[in-house]
Amino acid sequence: QFCPGRLRRLQPPGDPSCPRSVVGARRGVDGARGVGAAMDKKVSAGRSPLFGTYDPPPPGRLTSFDEGILASRQNVFFSPGALIGVSGSRTFSLDDPLMAPEDFVADSDGQLTASQATFNLANILIGVGVLSVPFALKQCGYFALLLIFVVIYVTGTAGKWIGQSLEMLARHPASAHRPPTAWDYGFLAEVCVGPRFCLCINIVTVLEVWMALVAFMVLNGGNAEIVWPGVDRAVTVPITGAVATMCVFVPPRVFAYLSLVATFAMFVAAVAMVSSTTALTSWALPGLHEAIISYENVPRSIGILVFCFAGHPCFPAVRASMKKPRQWGLCIDASFLLAFFYYACFGILGYFVFGEGLMQSVAENLAHIHGAQLGRLIAAVCFLIKVQLTFPLLLNAIVVALWAPAADGPLWPPLRVVLAVCVAMITVLVAVALRDKVAVVASLAGSLLVTITSILFPAVVHWMLSCRTTKQPLSWSRLLHYMSVICFGIVFGILGTSVAVKDLLS
């Protein structure tokens, strides 16, 4: 019942002026921490990323699929060895598991402030999927701006429900046997329905990550074409895929520094793209009378936009590291507001500049801007670097889910290397087959998989936990809220998936 954050500001236990009650409270808190740490080790030793059990690997390795996807969607923005917003009293070791949930700390208690949690959430939500947002506006016209707002509202509500579900989960008896850092999507599914539901949601999340790999490889093929003109994407995709696969075996100590390069490259690419547009003598500037809405493309655009907001399975790990979890809703609002301005501004700029001439990735339009060779090259190289350094983390997360590393053996035994190479080869082959349909791949992933993990699953879990913890029947307004979000996910999930499959076969 004691708050360590308040107790640590009192007098030290050796101070004569320190009341005995405070000394006892401090010892109680320290004892509780010891018990919690022992429980954490006991639980993690038997926890499975996807199936089976395994022993926890030594430091320097991803220890679960959840840590893998969190690592793949986070970036160290400041100096290597120091976490975002960390005070001088606490840094993480580069020998620790790369960006594991336990490493998101803000002070000696290992907890994030609201601003630091907001920054981490924004890093999860904002990524290279922005390259396809202008194409979503081309498909639906200016009506896509309203779709961006609707998608952000729905996915933001789902993000809040995740935090509230974890609060209700804390009152469940099963939570006493697992530390908060292990309250992930699988645990929520297991508590609400059972182990089979846990397995299903983990499989869906693995497929979502794999679809992201395919989309990233297709995007990188287009970026490589700009860097090496005249080389077909059927050649650039396998080459970039092979290089990215070799990066999986880079030691975590080195890759921690490369993550800094990836984040910096993202910002440089955005600046270079904006500066390249100044070389155009005129912009397309589609008029309102010709670009209001195209109803038949609404499911396609929603699928692309939902794909941009993949990452909800990472949210429990971020919330578990917060100093004040009651501020979770505020962090969600702030991070999704930043994402709205980022995607909306980038989409509007691309649509204003290129209009109906937009390609599936706005980076491809840069190749047709005369007089902007330098900016075009810088943007393409930076996006190429970003995707190349994101691919290994996503691939590693999938491999960890299928075959977790052993505690007393090498990190990459021969058969585990073969597994990673096979997954990468399948990904590259699919990316080559879909090299001209990056928007279709993003729409399919968003409609079929991200809709489940980022909309439907949080809504269903929150509904079920609310029914179990609330003694009174749910109000009609609350039921209507649940049904509206779930219906949105089901309707556009089915429509978007059917349209995307049709586009793939056409």
Side-chain angles (χ1 to χ4, degrees), residues 26-73:
R26 281 180 171 275
R27 292 174 179 172
V29 170
D30 294 338
R33 287 177 179 170
V35 173
M39 181 182 295
D40 195 356
K41 293 180 180 179
K42 182 178 180 181
V43 172
S44 62
R47 185 183 173 202
S48 170
L50 190 54
F51 346 86
T53 58
Y54 71 101
D55 295 326
R61 308 182 183 184
L62 292 178
T63 58
S64 73
F65 175 66
D66 306 302
E67 294 175 4
I69 58 175
L70 182 60
S72 68
R73 303 195 68 86

Side-chain angles (χ1 to χ4, degrees), residues 143-160:
F143 182 72
L145 294 176
L146 178 60
L147 295 182
I148 295 176
F149 178 80
V150 172
V151 169
I152 284 183
Y153 172 77
V154 173
T155 54
T157 299
K160 291 182 180 179

Side-chain angles (χ1 to χ4, degrees), residues 284-443:
L285 296 175
L288 292 176
H289 63 281
E290 58 183 357
I292 291 294
I293 182 173
S294 178
Y295 294 102
E296 64 274 11
N297 290 325
V298 169
R300 294 183 176 91
S301 295
I302 288 182
I304 294 174
L305 296 174
V306 171
F307 176 75
C308 293
F309 290 92
H312 283 60
C314 306
F315 286 8
V318 177
R319 185 187 177 278
S321 301
M322 288 185 63
K323 181 181 296 184
K324 298 179 180 179
R326 63 179 180 274
Q327 295 180 332
W328 175 253
L330 178 63
C331 296
I332 290 291
D333 290 336
S335 58
F336 275 78
L337 183 62
L338 290 174
F340 171 75
F341 283 114
Y342 183 81
Y343 286 120
C345 292
F346 199 94
I348 290 175
L349 177 63
Y351 191 46
F352 278 177
V353 174
F354 301 109
E356 294 301 316
L358 272 166
M359 299 182 181
Q360 295 189 36
S361 172
V362 70
E364 299 176 22
N365 290 93
L366 298 179
H368 304 284
I369 300 180
H370 301 288
Q373 289 82 0
L374 180 59
R376 179 175 67 231
L377 182 63
I378 292 176
V381 170
C382 289
F383 279 122
L384 187 70
I385 293 173
K386 170 65 177 177
V387 176
Q388 287 294 105
L389 295 179
T390 302
F391 184 95
L393 292 169
L394 290 169
L395 179 60
N396 197 10
I398 295 176
V399 174
V400 168
L402 299 176
W403 185 345
D408 54 352
L411 176 60
W412 291 104
L415 290 180
R416 200 163 183 266
V417 173
V418 172
L419 175 63
V421 172
C422 289
V423 173
M425 288 179 60
I426 295 173
T427 304
V428 169
L429 290 175
V430 175
V432 171
L434 304 175
R435 58 186 180 275
D436 297 322
K437 298 184 177 182
V438 60
V440 178
V441 175
S443 181

Side-chain angles (χ1 to χ4, degrees), residues 217 228 231-246 388 428:
M217 281 293 93
W228 298 287
V231 181
D232 188 75
R233 199 172 302 185
V235 178
T236 58
V237 170
I239 292 176
T240 55
V243 174
T245 302
M246 288 188 292
Q388 287 294 105
V428 169

